[in-house]
Amino acid sequence: ALIVGLIILLTHYASLILIYLFKPIGKPIYFWTLILLIASYLISPSVSTGFVAMLDNLDSILSGATLVFLYFTPIKNKF
């Protein structure tokens, strides 16, 4: 399970680089790795502090904003 999680995480970071470089393959890779990260987070139990929960919420908001920008703004035409 740890190896699979690491592969998903590294693929997610690679997709962020591809998005930064405006490569078309980066959009679907980002979307699907984000879905897999959310699913893996929901499957496993976790305990966190208030600060970590706040950072997790901020990460979720920024990921959602990234998806909105990638699929619903004029930036989508650059890919």
Side-chain angles (χ1 to χ4, degrees):
L2 181 65
I3 301 297
V4 173
L6 264 163
I7 291 171
I8 293 171
L9 193 62
L10 290 174
T11 306
H12 186 70
Y13 287 136
S15 72
L16 290 173
I17 293 169
L18 291 171
I19 287 172
Y20 180 75
L21 297 173
F22 291 108
K23 302 291 183 185
I25 192 71
K27 280 173 55 173
I29 293 173
Y30 177 77
F31 176 77
W32 289 111
T33 57
L34 188 62
I35 296 296
L36 289 173
L37 285 172
I38 291 170
S40 67
Y41 181 74
L42 293 176
I43 290 172
S44 63
S46 64
V47 177
S48 62
T49 64
F51 181 71
V52 173
M54 180 199 65
L55 291 177
D56 188 40
N57 287 336
L58 182 63
D59 178 55
S60 298
I61 291 168
L62 292 175
S63 296
T66 303
L67 283 175
V68 167
F69 277 104
L70 286 176
Y71 287 100
F72 300 112
T73 63
I75 289 177
K76 69 181 176 183
N77 299 327
K78 292 190 176 198
F79 286 93

